[in-house]
Amino acid sequence: MFDIQEIRSQFSILDREVNGKPLVYLDNAATSQKPNSVLEVCHAYYTELNANVHRGIHTLSQLATEEMELSRRKIQKFINAEHDFEVIFTKGTTEGLNLIAYILTQKLQKDDEIIISYLEHHSNIVPWQMLCERTGAKLRVIPIDENGILQMDHFDQFLSEKTKVVSVNQVSNALGIVNPIEEIIAKTRKNTDAYVVIDGAQSAPHFNIDVQKLDCDFFVFSGHKMYAPMGTGILYGKREILEALPPFHGGGEMIATCSFEGTTYAGLPFKYEAGTPNVGGNIALGAAVDFMNRVGHTNIQNHENALLEYAQRQLLEIEGIKIYGEKAKRTGVVSFNLEGVGIASDVGMILDKMGIAVRTGHHCTQPIMNFFNIAGTVRASFAVYNTFEEIDILVEGVKKAQRMLS
């Protein structure tokens, strides 16, 4: 049974007021709120278990290690990785993508090609540009049409023996558009031996992820967008690929032996987890997975899709509104502007006075904004705890902002 009020009761922050109004939190694509079960795990770690992991024989260290490794196994099951050591703890999606781009440096050379798309977050653009600068490789970008949909005929033309990396997001953070990654992966496999990287930052909170079925080489996502603490994230990589590639950071934990004459590296996953990890956060990421499993992926997806459909229908009744990607398959996000209102942030500030939290600006996707010839959008994004009543409040807030700003 899906009980929205029972779910909302697990998020204490939803009871607060902002500017004298009940909080309507619609900035979930930036970060989600955390259920009490996750917060309790964080608190319990620091009050009952606080110790460094993998490095001590004392009881607290052993217990903390057990809890973090249990979390790793939960995440392994969550994304259906074949091995738990294919699950690497990171600070988030950005670090995961930078890690991949760095360790692939020796695999690329001048005039090799990297394919990304027009719908990428800056975190899936800049690391590849930096890799091109290091190696002389070239970046190719799958264009979009006026609806924000990838033009796959261009992708077909791009694929060649020069293609060494294909890196795309599963869901656009700016527009919520769901990209055809299954098709992208299948075509890449058929025509090249390129590495396939999937940015799952906006899909892991909403979809059931199966990395083995997808057959991607890497999959990255952030914990803080799926009810876990900030500073947590996951890099999944296929065992044979991670074992063959070099480390990212050097230091403690990632060594097998270290001397002034040379160093040998630890096995997976520790080869890629140098330094003290975010132990409490990593354990709490497992608790966030538990929360999502209790609610159920089908329930989450059905509720959020219903919210999106309702929000779009209600907003489109406002004269002069423009929803970007309106005709594309989307999830979790409605991104819009009002005709005659020059600055999206002005709308956001008026909504904030009404207790409504949305995101305004370019959403770290300046190429998308340039394509539509706009500076930014107002983005409302949904999570499992949002309600239809909150969307009604949003719609009335947008109408008020339009009256004040037009």
Side-chain angles (χ1 to χ4, degrees), residues 11 25 27-35 38 90-95 121 123 200-202 204-205 221-234 278 281-282 284-285 288 292 359 379 383 385:
F11 293 82
Y25 186 81
D27 193 21
N28 296 285
T31 194
S32 63
Q33 298 302 334
K34 321 307 175 193
V38 170
T90 67
K91 291 188 296 186
T93 304
T94 298
E95 183 179 49
H121 188 283
S123 294
Q202 299 294 335
F221 60 96
S222 299
H224 73 96
K225 299 179 190 293
M226 49 175 280
Y227 313 106
M230 293 188 182
T232 63
I234 294 297
N278 181 0
N282 292 342
L285 178 52
M292 293 182 69
R359 180 70 46 157
R379 184 187 71 187
Y385 43 69

Side-chain angles (χ1 to χ4, degrees), residues 2 28 32 202-207 225 227 292 297-311 330-333 381-386 388 391:
F2 183 80
N28 296 285
S32 63
Q202 299 294 335
S203 59
H206 307 292
F207 297 160
K225 299 179 190 293
Y227 313 106
M292 293 182 69
H297 284 97
T298 300
N299 286 331
I300 292 172
Q301 196 165 352
N302 288 345
H303 179 65
E304 292 172 346
N305 286 344
L307 290 171
L308 175 61
E309 181 181 349
Y310 183 73
R330 307 199 325 278
T331 189
V333 167
S381 51
F382 313 116
V384 70
Y385 43 69
N386 288 126
F388 298 101
I391 291 172

Side-chain angles (χ1 to χ4, degrees), residues 25-27 29-31 335 344 348 357-363 377-381:
Y25 186 81
L26 299 173
D27 193 21
T31 194
S335 196
V358 296
R359 180 70 46 157
T360 63
H362 57 66
H363 316 299
T377 69
V378 181
R379 184 187 71 187
S381 51

Side-chain angles (χ1 to χ4, degrees), residues 221-396:
F221 60 96
S222 299
H224 73 96
K225 299 179 190 293
M226 49 175 280
Y227 313 106
M230 293 188 182
T232 63
I234 294 297
L235 160 64
Y236 158 81
K238 287 183 177 177
R239 171 184 185 173
E240 61 273 17
I241 294 174
L242 291 176
E243 287 181 339
L245 291 170
F248 179 42
H249 290 148
E253 198 65 31
M254 52 76 66
I255 64 101
T257 63
C258 180
S259 71
F260 290 116
E261 289 67 43
T263 295
T264 59
Y265 305 127
L268 299 175
F270 309 116
K271 175 181 175 181
Y272 293 103
E273 293 182 352
T276 297
N278 181 0
V279 180
N282 292 342
I283 295 171
L285 178 52
V289 167
D290 291 338
F291 166 78
M292 293 182 69
N293 287 337
R294 285 195 300 272
V295 177
H297 284 97
T298 300
N299 286 331
I300 292 172
Q301 196 165 352
N302 288 345
H303 179 65
E304 292 172 346
N305 286 344
L307 290 171
L308 175 61
E309 181 181 349
Y310 183 73
Q312 178 157 304
R313 186 168 66 248
Q314 297 299 105
L315 287 167
L316 284 174
E317 292 184 2
I318 300 174
E319 185 176 353
I321 197 167
K322 164 71 174 178
I323 295 178
Y324 299 91
E326 173 191 343
K327 297 180 180 179
K329 179 183 179 183
R330 307 199 325 278
T331 189
V333 167
V334 58
S335 196
F336 62 91
N337 277 320
L338 294 169
E339 182 180 338
V341 177
I343 304 176
S345 60
D346 288 346
V347 178
M349 286 189 287
I350 291 173
L351 293 176
D352 179 61
K353 295 299 183 184
M354 302 174 66
I356 305 166
V358 296
R359 180 70 46 157
T360 63
H362 57 66
H363 316 299
C364 294
T365 58
Q366 287 185 318
I368 296 176
M369 303 301 131
N370 292 338
F371 176 85
F372 288 110
N373 195 30
I374 55 178
T377 69
V378 181
R379 184 187 71 187
S381 51
F382 313 116
V384 70
Y385 43 69
N386 288 126
T387 67
F388 298 101
E389 291 78 12
E390 289 180 318
I391 291 172
D392 291 337
I393 295 170
L394 168 69
V395 172
E396 290 307 309

Side-chain angles (χ1 to χ4, degrees), residues 82-220:
E82 184 176 1
H83 306 288
D84 63 352
F85 51 75
E86 294 175 318
V87 174
I88 311 298
F89 287 116
T90 67
K91 291 188 296 186
T93 304
T94 298
E95 183 179 49
L97 290 167
N98 276 273
L99 187 159
I100 297 164
Y102 177 83
I103 65 178
L104 290 179
T105 299
Q106 296 177 6
K107 296 295 183 180
L108 275 76
Q109 57 189 6
K110 191 177 188 302
D111 295 328
D112 283 342
E113 294 180 349
I114 300 167
I115 299 176
I116 61 174
S117 88
Y118 230 95
L119 291 176
E120 304 310 317
H121 188 283
H122 296 164
S123 294
N124 204 27
I125 299 174
V126 180
W128 304 116
Q129 291 175 328
M130 296 168 72
L131 178 56
C132 289
E133 291 172 358
R134 291 195 298 271
T135 63
K138 297 178 180 178
L139 199 64
R140 309 208 72 174
V141 184
I142 309 168
I144 55 177
D145 65 14
E146 67 277 6
N147 295 309
I149 298 171
L150 295 184
Q151 298 185 43
M152 291 298 290
D153 55 333
H154 287 260
F155 176 66
D156 295 339
Q157 296 167 16
F158 289 166
L159 287 171
S160 73
E161 69 279 355
K162 291 184 178 181
T163 306
K164 301 304 177 185
V165 178
V166 175
S167 186
V168 294
N169 60 36
Q170 190 169 7
V171 175
S172 162
N173 73 296
L175 307 180
I177 291 175
V178 181
N179 290 320
I181 62 167
E182 293 86 355
E183 179 184 354
I184 289 171
I185 294 169
K187 288 182 174 180
T188 302
R189 293 282 180 247
K190 181 178 179 180
N191 294 286
T192 76
D193 59 355
Y195 295 100
V196 179
V197 183
I198 302 298
D199 172 356
Q202 299 294 335
S203 59
H206 307 292
F207 297 160
N208 184 29
I209 305 298
D210 187 335
V211 293
Q212 293 190 72
K213 184 178 180 181
L214 285 173
D215 191 32
C216 55
D217 297 307
F218 301 98
F219 189 96
V220 294

